């Protein structure tokens, strides 16, 4: 077949791609791969599970519910919404040394920070220090956008509902109260503090807030949140940042302080403690609960047995299934060979 | 020997030999039925018939352009803008121009429900009360999807623009201002006089006025119109032929033509010409239609009657039926199912919100939003909010991805070298890009015969002369060889070089002139025929035969030294071995289907009178003289030839004395002028002289099959694909070919029309008598028709088909009934007419059931319309996926009717290809198209769809689970940007590549194991079951993806004690788990891992992290603080080992059970594909070894003995020859008025 070149103008290209002959690996999930694979994965999972579980067990957690629902609770009197500036004390004791560093959390339950309408109710421009948004906050902040015609800064539901209980922790050593130093520095994300939230570059900060009004729920304006540390005010106040980072689920904890300084840096020794709570935040109206959580952390974070157990269960199931598959394979392998 | 068969002449049944009436004809005679009864089977293609005005409304005036602009010829186009009703000759097939592209294309695209749905979503998202997702989550994907489709449309349209331009700018010569000038086609107008040269394309529908040939004869090739390759004659009116030869005369031509309005009927034209105060009738024989080509005619003149869009070819084409695949339908239903699911879920969640708000939300002071809305109103708004949030359940990129995949698969078909026919330089072509996966689901193939199964090339293969057989490879000395070389014809300068013959001994015998019979044999072949001869440019002989059989015989004689040179009305000149001799032709007794023979009576130069006759063995043997020799030997040879499925003809002669001839001549003359029943009278006369014949021998012609046809049919049969042959050929020919291509085998019981009719009538009667069981049996699986074991085959003719399906006389009956004013029930239900439509339907169901029980079905002598009807019957009652394959215009109907139409390209005819969905050059490519491309496409598409639905369910339903913990507030579980980009970047590419490239087994194994094709026919890879499996798989994965992080986040804190379980970290964890899960899942589902797949999977994951880190970066937040609010989340979350462990666990739980279940399923219930796949390596090695051995070629005619002689031939050009139209030279033609012999050869729809 000697033909002239031009006769084959329509001839398709003979390449691996056009002829669908690309070099390829055609893996088969055969018994030889799957069964040992399952065993290996199962063992690995069991290993991880054990590690997680043991780690989780070693973490100490102490929870103090101070909502004051029961009459016996010292905070019962404060749970009445009509009572203002109420302070109550919760007593608890620690049996053995609570290894440091200890983290001090407050926890809320049945609190829907992940509610969509709540979550969008803020003005990101305003919170990044844009002065135009101070005068005209975003519509998404409604109904906490204006009071009368004065704009609210920071606007929106999230900021407005900022948690405002405060705590003091004392160790009672033979009747005397020794205050445990609580460190409020660096409890928010570095990126939140340095990037996402910024105060307007106006000094003093107070001037930036001229012509605005504080959120209705707040007792003091944003630039006076922390009278002790001028750098911890405005939108980069650590407690504010922690609050603004919305929780994923309706029961959540938020970091309040660390116990990393002074005598208690190594941990809380066994003994009696007293927690003094400035009770401001109303939760009873929606059946919420408030608590304080003391915890230490490990490489995997806080105490949570779920993941360890889940790993253990899945790992053992993998091993069991590999045995089942082996049996089934042995039973059905032979007729196939025909 | 031959089986008892219905004798067409004597029986009451339909004539097997004739084509049934044309249904199209009767459609015209009848106005729309007032009974509202369906005119034909639903689903059958009804060619859009134009409404026919009773009078001739189309007026054309020659060379008078302003005439056609007169107000009476204006029609309203738009409001008060009027336009001439005569189209210009420019054609326009493109859809858009620069200005209209964007609006029109957008309009077209938004006609799609899916696009409209996303537009509606976009609008919902703009409403502030409802919006739950920012506008860009829908807009960006929508714009991308619309953009891709628009680009594709643009490319298509540009190609059409180019095509139009090329055609519109072709040149032709037009008579303007008294002389012919070159003009572009686009400038041609109705009424123009044009001059056409040899081999010109005809630019419009033109009335032939005159030509350079005698009698204004003009040869045209109509291949593009009807696929027939033999030339047709057209001729001008006598008056125009005589008076319009010169340019000067043509310039003065001012006739007025009145004719029918433009229509799509290729076989009909009526009109009158008014010229010089006389009217002349016009018909189709005077018309040169656009799409044809002028051949063998130096110059011809014509008058444009229809131009551009009015031409018959343009009216015919265009309206292609929109075909959809089963998967398309299924996919749409599934999308509707998802819609329903979406509404249900959203409604459920809305109700949930109502209750939640009542119980909790209204009490939570921090959620106060200042809107005074009660819980139910909030619920209602939440409903719409969830519609938006969950909208990704309906995959926005589904349709565009499916289109991309199909486009790619079509390209692979176009690129396939193994479907490229190098001899004609024709690659396969997927003309539609929307049907590929349907190729993997074919259950019935309807094939044309001529040009599809066969090459339509007849070859003189063998012969038997005086009892001795020739044709096998033999040396000149008579030694039989296994493999010979073709005879060298160089000794004969007239020989046709293309003719191949392997038997050198026959040449030696003929050249030695020792064997008188051999000389007589070829002399007969060179004399007894109706072939016409022409000389081409180099002076070589070109034969024009009515049938290729005859051409093959005359060509054989020519090569053996008996060259037919020329003929006049009553002489034939041949060259017998270098000696020219002219014979006087006394009578030509032409072939017809009843006679099955033709004879010629010649007066030899020496005065002897001899009759030569050739014909079918059955008719010849009856008429042989008792002393004819070699009868037995020839009979044996005939049997052998027939076994080899060659088509045989017996040749014989008879010497006639002068007295005898004269006596017969008188009878013949009387018959010729008989007033009534002239044909019958002639037949009787012929019968008288054709007796006492002396046998010379027999010829055997091979109707050459296309290469690889038997193997292809065998292979397709193994894949449970049933092949029906639908042909216009005669029963014998069709049956013969059925055996040749191993569709029919000797162990089959063949059933013919009568038999079938009887069985069906019995069934009908039983049903009628037992009406109670009738209703039940309708649902129940019907009992089989063929109770005896063994294979069955059906050979049925068009006539019987009408009879069986009660199609016969339907129209006329209805007409009669309407005249009566009411519908009278037939007096006797047994008279072959149905009682009612239900009965007719039952009859059709019975027929289809019966036919489907047979291994093979051959329908012969069927009209194009019947072909389409048969296809639609199977489509309708079997709900099967059908494929039609054909090459000619007579197959267009069935190609359009079937789910998939395949055209054989590379032939001259383009009509079949133009209306087909796939086109390639050889029938044998069908196996590759179906078993490889079809199968792959189906598997890929199914895999793609299953996975696509799965990944969107897994993605979307996480929101559903999250809503239980977020107060049903339509809070999304992921970042908005992830939702926007998930379908575009993070999950699509790997699955798209699986849809394009995946192969479970390679092409060779696909062909080796046709059983692998079965899942496609059963539709078992994608159906509602698979859909729900995908749904549950998606639900399962979404559960895992939500609840594992939920458990992990419930009470924990970060490594450094910082904000431990915030929403944004949670969103990143779920999104990362999802991205890993879907990409690893598709990796598990990929069975053909190329570097592209690997790249896509890794690329998708990398892209996810890359984009996420960018979006979470400080820089982008500083620029757009309100759009990118996840600043720092990725870096904070993903440095925690705990979250990585959560992701790993989530991915593990999502994948491991699926792997386990798949493994168990494959082990316990392995499919054929699994088995082949498992032993892939072994099989591949086997194949490689086999290839080394090179299997022996398939041998034709290796089957056991069988007798069915085919005699295929069609009526010749005898009338034309005796009328002398094409033979007389012009001067005599001019001399005076001739007999106006208007009769013309009746060609069959298909020349065999």
């Amino acid at each position: 077949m000697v033909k002239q070149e031009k006769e084959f103008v329509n001839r398709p290209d003979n390449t691996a791609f056009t002829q669908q002959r690309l070099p390829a690996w055609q893996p088969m999930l055969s018994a030889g791969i799957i069964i040992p694979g399952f065993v290996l994965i199962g063992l690995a999972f069991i290993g991880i599970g054990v590690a997680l579980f043991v780690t989780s067990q070693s973490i100490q957690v102490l929870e103090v519910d101070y909502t004051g629902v029961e009459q016996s609770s010292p905070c019962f009197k404060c749970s009445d919404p009509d009572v203002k500036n109420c302070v109550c004390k919760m007593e608890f004791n620690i049996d053995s040394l609570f290894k440091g560093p200890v983290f001090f959390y407050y926890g809320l339950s049945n609190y829907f920070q992940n509610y969509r309408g709540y979550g969008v109710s803020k003005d990101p421009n305003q919170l990044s220090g844009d002065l135009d948004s101070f005068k005209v906050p975003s519509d998404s902040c409604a109904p906490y956008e204006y009071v009368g015609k004065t704009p609210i800064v920071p606007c929106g539901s999230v900021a407005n509902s900022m948690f405002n209980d405060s705590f003091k922790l004392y160790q009672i050593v033979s009747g005397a109260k020794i205050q445990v130093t609580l460190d409020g520095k660096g409890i928010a994300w570095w990126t939140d503090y340095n990037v996402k939230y910024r105060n307007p570059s106006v000094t003093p900060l107070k001037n930036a807030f001229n012509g605005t009004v504080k959120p209705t729920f707040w007792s003091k304006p944003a630039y006076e949140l922390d009278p002790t540390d001028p750098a911890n005010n405005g939108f980069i106040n650590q407690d504010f940042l922690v609050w603004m980072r919305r929780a994923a689920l309706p029961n959540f904890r938020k970091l309040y302080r660390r116990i990393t300084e002074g005598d208690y840096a190594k941990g809380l020794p066994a003994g009696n403690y007293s927690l003094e709570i400035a009770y401001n935040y109303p939760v009873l109206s929606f059946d919420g609960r408030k608590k304080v959580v003391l915890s230490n952390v490990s490489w995997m974070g806080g105490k949570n047995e779920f993941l360890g157990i889940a790993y253990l269960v899945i790992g053992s199931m993998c091993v069991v299934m590999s045995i089942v598959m082996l049996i089934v394979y042995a039973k059905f392998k032979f007729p196939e060979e025909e | 020997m031959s089986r008892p068969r219905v004798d067409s002449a004597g029986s009451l049944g339909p004539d097997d030999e004739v084509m049934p009436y044309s249904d199209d004809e009767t459609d015209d005679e009848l106005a729309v039925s007032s009974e509202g009864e369906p005119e034909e089977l639903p689903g059958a293609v009804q060619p859009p018939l134009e409404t026919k005005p009773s009078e001739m409304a189309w007026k054309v005036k020659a060379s008078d352009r302003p005439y056609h602009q007169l107000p009476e010829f204006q029609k309203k186009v738009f409001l008060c803008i009027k336009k001439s009703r005569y189209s210009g000759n420019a054609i326009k097939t493109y859809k858009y121009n620069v200005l209209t592209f964007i609006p029109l294309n957008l309009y077209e695209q938004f006609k799609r429900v899916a696009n409209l749905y996303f537009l509606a979503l976009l609008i919902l998202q703009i409403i502030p009360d409802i919006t739950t997702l920012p506008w860009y989550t829908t807009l960006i994907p929508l714009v991308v999807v619309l953009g891709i489709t628009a680009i594709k449309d643009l490319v298509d349209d540009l190609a059409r623009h180019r095509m139009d331009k090329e055609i519109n700018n072709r040149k032709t010569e037009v008579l303007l201002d008294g002389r012919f000038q070159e003009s572009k086609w686009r400038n041609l107008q109705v009424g123009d006089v044009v001059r056409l040269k040899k081999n010109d394309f005809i630019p419009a529908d033109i009335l032939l006025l005159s030509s350079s040939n005698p009698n204004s004869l003009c040869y045209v090739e109509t291949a593009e119109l009807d696929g027939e390759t033999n030339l047709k004659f057209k001729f001008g009116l006598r008056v125009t032929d005589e008076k319009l030869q010169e340019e000067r005369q043509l310039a003065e031509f001012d006739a007025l033509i009145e004719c029918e309005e433009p229509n799509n009927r290729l076989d009909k034209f009526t009109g009158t010409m008014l010229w010089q105060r006389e009217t002349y009738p016009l018909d189709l024989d005077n018309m040169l239609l656009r799409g044809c080509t002028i051949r063998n005619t130096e110059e011809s003149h014509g008058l444009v009657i229809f131009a551009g869009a009015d031409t018959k070819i343009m009216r015919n084409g265009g309206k292609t039926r929109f075909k959809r695949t089963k998967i398309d339908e299924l996919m749409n239903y599934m999308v509707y199912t998802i819609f329903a699911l979406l509404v249900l879920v959203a409604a459920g969640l809305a109700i949930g919100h109502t209750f939640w708000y009542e119980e909790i939300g209204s009490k939570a002071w921090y959620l106060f939003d200042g809107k005074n809305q009660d819980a139910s109103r909030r619920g209602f708004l939440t409903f719409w909010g969830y519609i938006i949030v969950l909208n990704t359940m309906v995959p926005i990129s589904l349709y565009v991805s499916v289109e991309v995949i199909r486009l790619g698969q079509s390209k692979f078909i176009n690129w396939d070298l193994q479907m490229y026919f190098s001899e004609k330089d024709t690659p396969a072509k997927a003309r539609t890009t929307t049907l590929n996966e349907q190729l993997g689901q074919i259950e019935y193939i309807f094939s044309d015969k001529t040009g599809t199964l066969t090459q339509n090339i007849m070859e003189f293969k063998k012969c038997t002369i005086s009892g001795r057989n020739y044709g096998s490879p033999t040396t000149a000395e008579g030694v039989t060889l296994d493999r010979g070389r073709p005879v060298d014809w160089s000794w004969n300068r007239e020989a046709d070089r293309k003719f191949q013959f392997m038997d050198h001994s026959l040449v030696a015998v003929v050249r030695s002139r020792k064997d008188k019979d051999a000389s007589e044999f070829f002399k007969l072949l060179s004399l007894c025929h109706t072939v016409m001869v022409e000389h081409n440019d180099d002076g070589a002989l070109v034969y024009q035969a009515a049938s290729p059989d005859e051409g093959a015989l005359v060509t054989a004689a020519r090569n053996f030294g008996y060259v037919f040179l020329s003929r006049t009305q009553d002489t034939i000149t041949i060259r017998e071995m270098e000696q020219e001799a002219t014979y006087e032709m006394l009578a030509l007794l032409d072939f017809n289907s009843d006679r099955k023979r033709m004879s010629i009576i010649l007066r030899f130069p020496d005065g002897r009178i001899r009759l030569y006759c050739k014909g079918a063995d059955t008719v010849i043997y009856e008429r042989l003289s008792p002393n004819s020799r070699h009868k037995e030997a020839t009979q044996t040879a005939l049997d052998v030839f027939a076994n080899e499925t060659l088509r045989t003809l017996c040749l014989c002669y008879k010497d006639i004395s002068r007295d005898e001839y004269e006596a017969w001549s008188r009878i013949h003359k009387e018959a010729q002028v008989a007033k009534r029943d002239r044909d019958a009278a002639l037949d009787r006369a012929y019968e008288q002289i054709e007796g006492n014949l002396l046998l010379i021998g027999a010829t055997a012609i091979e109707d050459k099959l296309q290469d690889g046809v038997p193997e292809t049919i065998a292979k397709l049969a193994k894949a449970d694909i049933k092949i029906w042959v639908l042909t216009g050929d005669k029963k014998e020919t069709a049956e013969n070919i059925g055996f040749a291509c191993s569709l029919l085998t000797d162990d089959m019981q063949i059933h013919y029309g009568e038999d079938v009719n009887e069985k069906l009538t019995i069934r009908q009667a039983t049903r009628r008598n037992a009406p109670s069981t009738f209703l039940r049996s309708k649902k129940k699986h019907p009992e089989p028709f063929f109770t005896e074991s063994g294979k069955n085959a059906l050979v049925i003719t068009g006539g019987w088909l009408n009879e069986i399906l009660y199609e016969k006389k339907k129209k006329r009956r209805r007409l009669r009934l309407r005249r009566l004013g009411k519908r009278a029930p037939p007096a006797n239900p047994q008279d072959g007419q149905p009682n009612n439509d239900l009965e007719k339907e039952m009859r059709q169901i019975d027929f289809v059931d019966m036919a489907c029980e047979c291994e093979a079905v051959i329908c012969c002598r069927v009209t194009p319309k019947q072909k389409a009807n048969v296809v639609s019957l199977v489509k309708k009652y079997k709900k099967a996926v059908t494929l039609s394959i054909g090459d000619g215009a007579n197959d267009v109907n069935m190609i359009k009717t079937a789910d998939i139409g395949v055209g054989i390209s590379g032939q001259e005819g383009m009509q079949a290809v133009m209306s087909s969905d796939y086109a390639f050059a050889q029938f044998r490519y069908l196996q590759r198209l179906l078993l490889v491309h079809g199968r792959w496409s189906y598997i890929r598409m199914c895999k793609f769809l299953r996975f696509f639905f799965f990944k969107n369910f897994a993605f979307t339903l996480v929101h559903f689970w999250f809503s239980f913990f977020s107060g049903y507030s339509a809070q999304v579980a992921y970042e908005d940007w992830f939702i926007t980009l998930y379908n575009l970047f993070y999950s699509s590419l790997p699955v798209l590549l699986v849809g394009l490239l995946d192969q479970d087994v390679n092409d060779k194994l696909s062909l080796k194991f046709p059983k692998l094709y079965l899942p496609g026919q059963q539709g078992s890879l994608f159906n509602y079951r698979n859909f729900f499996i995908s749904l549950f798989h998606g639900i399962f994965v979404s559960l895992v993806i939500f609840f594992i992080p939920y458990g992990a986040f419930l009470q924990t804190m970060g490594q450094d004690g910082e904000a431990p379980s915030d929403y944004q970290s949670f969103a990143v964890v779920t999104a990362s788990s999802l991205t890993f899960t879907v990409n690893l899942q598709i990796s598990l589902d990929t069975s053909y891992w190329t570097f592209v797949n690997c790249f896509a999977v890794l690329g998708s994951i990398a892209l996810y992290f890359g984009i996420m880190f960018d979006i979470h970066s400080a820089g982008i937040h500083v620029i757009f603080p309100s759009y990118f609010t996840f600043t720092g989340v990725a870096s904070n979350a993903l440095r925690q080992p705990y979250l990585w462990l959560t992701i790993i666990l989530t991915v593990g739980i999502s994948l491991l059970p699926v792997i386990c279940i798949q493994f168990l399923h494959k082990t316990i219930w392995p499919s054929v594909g699994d088995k082949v796949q498992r032993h892939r390596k072994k099989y591949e090695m086997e194949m490689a070894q086999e290839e080394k051995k090179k299997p022996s070629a398939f041998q034709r005619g290796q089957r056991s003995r069988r007798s069915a002689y085919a005699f295929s031939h069609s009526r010749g050009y005898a009338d034309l020859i005796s009328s002398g139209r094409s033979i007389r030279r012009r001067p005599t033609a001019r001399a005076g008025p001739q007999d106006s012999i208007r009769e013309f050869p009746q060609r069959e729809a298909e020349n065999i």
Side-chain angles (χ1 to χ4, degrees), chain B residues 321-381:
Chain B
R321 235 160 45 95
F322 182 63
K323 291 182 182 175
R324 309 189 94 169
T325 66
K326 268 189 166 178
I327 296 244
D328 255 333
E329 262 167 49
L330 212 55
M331 198 163 78
N332 280 342
Y333 280 121
M334 281 166 189
V335 169
Y336 295 142
T337 312
I338 297 173
F339 273 134
L341 213 66
L342 175 67
V343 171
L344 275 178
V345 168
L349 291 172
I351 292 167
H353 181 75
T354 309
F355 283 105
W356 181 88
Y357 193 78
E358 202 107 310
E359 296 291 311
I360 299 166
S362 55
K363 293 172 193 154
W365 57 271
Y366 57 94
L367 294 181
F368 174 71
D369 58 6
K371 288 171 194 153
N372 195 13
Q373 293 165 334
D374 61 3
S376 51
R377 184 172 162 79
R378 283 169 190 276
F380 176 73
L381 291 177

Side-chain angles (χ1 to χ4, degrees), chain B residues 323 325 406-407 409-414 419 427-440 442 882-886 895 899-905 912-921 925-926 929-930 933-934 937:
Chain B
K323 291 182 182 175
T325 66
R406 285 175 176 160
L407 189 70
Q409 287 167 350
S410 309
K411 287 279 175 229
F412 279 128
I413 290 174
N414 295 349
M419 282 167 45
K429 176 100 185 108
R431 292 173 36 84
T432 38
T433 57
T434 54
L435 300 172
N436 297 312
E437 74 270 4
Q438 188 98 315
L439 290 172
I442 304 293
T882 54
L883 179 146
S884 293
I885 178 165
I895 283 174
D899 294 301
I900 288 183
V902 177
I904 299 287
S905 59
V913 171
M914 293 307 277
S915 51
S916 68
D917 306 309
Y918 298 90
F920 45 69
Y925 296 154
L926 195 58
L929 184 73
L930 299 188
H933 288 286
S937 297

Side-chain angles (χ1 to χ4, degrees), chain B residues 66-137:
Chain B
Y67 175 79
H68 305 106
Q69 302 295 334
L70 287 178
E72 54 182 303
F73 299 125
Q74 307 269 307
K75 61 177 178 187
K76 230 184 226 172
V77 187
F78 180 70
L79 297 174
C80 45
I81 303 167
K82 286 187 174 175
K83 218 181 112 183
S84 170
R85 53 199 281 248
Y86 300 100
S87 309
N89 202 37
I91 55 161
K92 168 179 172 291
T93 57
Y94 60 85
K95 275 199 266 182
Y96 315 111
N97 61 34
V98 181
L99 284 179
T100 58
F101 177 71
I102 289 176
L104 262 185
N105 188 261
L106 280 181
Y107 171 70
E108 296 261 317
Q109 292 206 45
F110 279 117
K111 278 206 285 196
R112 280 196 169 172
V113 186
N115 289 340
L116 210 57
Y117 164 75
F118 288 107
L119 190 67
L121 264 180
L122 199 62
I123 293 165
L124 275 182
Q125 290 189 1
I126 295 168
I127 303 173
D129 264 2
I130 291 169
T131 181
T132 47
L133 282 173
W135 50 270
Y136 52 79
T137 50

Side-chain angles (χ1 to χ4, degrees), chain A residues 1 3 6-14 17-31 34-35 38 41 45 48 52 63 103 105 110-118 124-125 128 142-144 157 160-161 186-192 195-196 198 217 245-255 258 281-283 285-287 291 295-304 306-307 310-311 314 318 321 324-325 328-329 332 336-337, chain B residues 130-132 353 356-357 360 363-370 378 412 414-418 420 422-423 425 427 933 936 940 962 965-967 969-971 996-997 999-1001 1042-1044 1046-1066 1084 1086-1092 1114 1117-1118 1121-1122 1125 1127-1129 1131-1132 1137-1138 1141-1142 1144-1145 1148-1149 1152 1155-1156 1159-1160 1162-1164 1166 1170 1173-1176:
Chain A
M1 286 264 279
K3 294 222 172 180
K6 68 175 166 77
E7 279 188 50
F8 295 116
V9 283
N10 293 325
R11 189 189 184 93
D13 296 337
N14 187 7
F17 175 66
T18 55
Q19 300 310 311
Q20 306 196 56
R21 280 190 273 101
L22 280 179
W25 175 53
Q26 288 179 270
M28 275 287 299
L29 289 180
S30 61
I34 286 189
I35 296 172
F38 263 67
I41 291 172
F45 272 29
I48 297 172
L52 280 173
E63 279 191 19
F103 292 76
Y105 300 89
N110 206 24
Y111 193 102
F112 289 84
Q113 251 204 326
N114 59 11
Y115 188 84
R116 195 191 67 81
Y118 175 84
N125 289 321
S128 62
Y144 302 105
S157 294
N160 182 60
S161 60
I187 52 172
W189 283 12
W190 185 91
T191 45
D192 284 354
V195 181
K196 195 170 172 185
R198 265 181 297 171
F217 182 74
R245 184 149 287 281
R246 294 195 290 141
L249 299 167
N251 299 332
F252 58 87
R253 297 165 179 179
K254 282 178 187 280
L255 186 58
R258 287 196 180 93
Y281 206 75
V283 294
S285 59
F286 54 90
D287 296 330
K291 58 193 166 195
S295 171
N296 44 22
V297 297
S298 68
W299 60 270
M300 58 160 271
K303 187 182 182 77
N304 187 346
F306 172 83
L307 208 59
Y311 262 106
I314 300 301
C318 278
M321 281 323 290
V324 171
M325 284 191 287
V328 170
Y329 179 69
F332 286 90
E336 258 174 52
E337 298 297 316
Chain B
I130 291 169
T131 181
T132 47
H353 181 75
W356 181 88
Y357 193 78
I360 299 166
K363 293 172 193 154
W365 57 271
Y366 57 94
L367 294 181
F368 174 71
D369 58 6
R378 283 169 190 276
F412 279 128
N414 295 349
W415 286 332
D416 195 339
L417 262 180
Q418 292 178 65
Y420 166 76
S422 56
E423 276 173 47
D425 191 29
H933 288 286
W936 278 348
R940 289 167 182 175
F962 189 45
F965 304 92
S966 64
S969 59
Q971 173 66 47
L996 282 172
L997 302 175
Q999 314 180 0
D1000 53 343
V1001 296
F1042 177 76
F1043 281 101
I1044 298 296
Y1046 169 81
F1049 269 75
L1050 197 52
Q1051 285 187 329
T1052 193
M1053 51 264 328
Q1055 198 183 8
D1056 43 9
E1058 280 176 0
S1061 53
D1062 66 305
Y1063 161 74
Q1064 297 194 331
S1065 302
F1066 183 81
L1084 286 172
T1086 306
S1087 41
Y1088 193 74
W1089 270 92
T1090 64
F1091 64 95
V1092 198
H1117 174 80
V1118 172
S1122 55
T1125 56
T1127 311
V1129 181
S1131 51
N1132 266 303
Y1138 182 74
L1141 286 176
T1142 311
I1144 290 169
L1145 182 68
I1149 301 180
L1152 290 173
I1155 298 174
C1156 182
F1159 176 79
L1160 290 178
K1162 276 188 182 175
T1163 312
I1164 301 174
D1170 294 335
Q1173 233 175 332
R1174 190 160 304 157
H1175 304 292
R1176 183 166 48 81

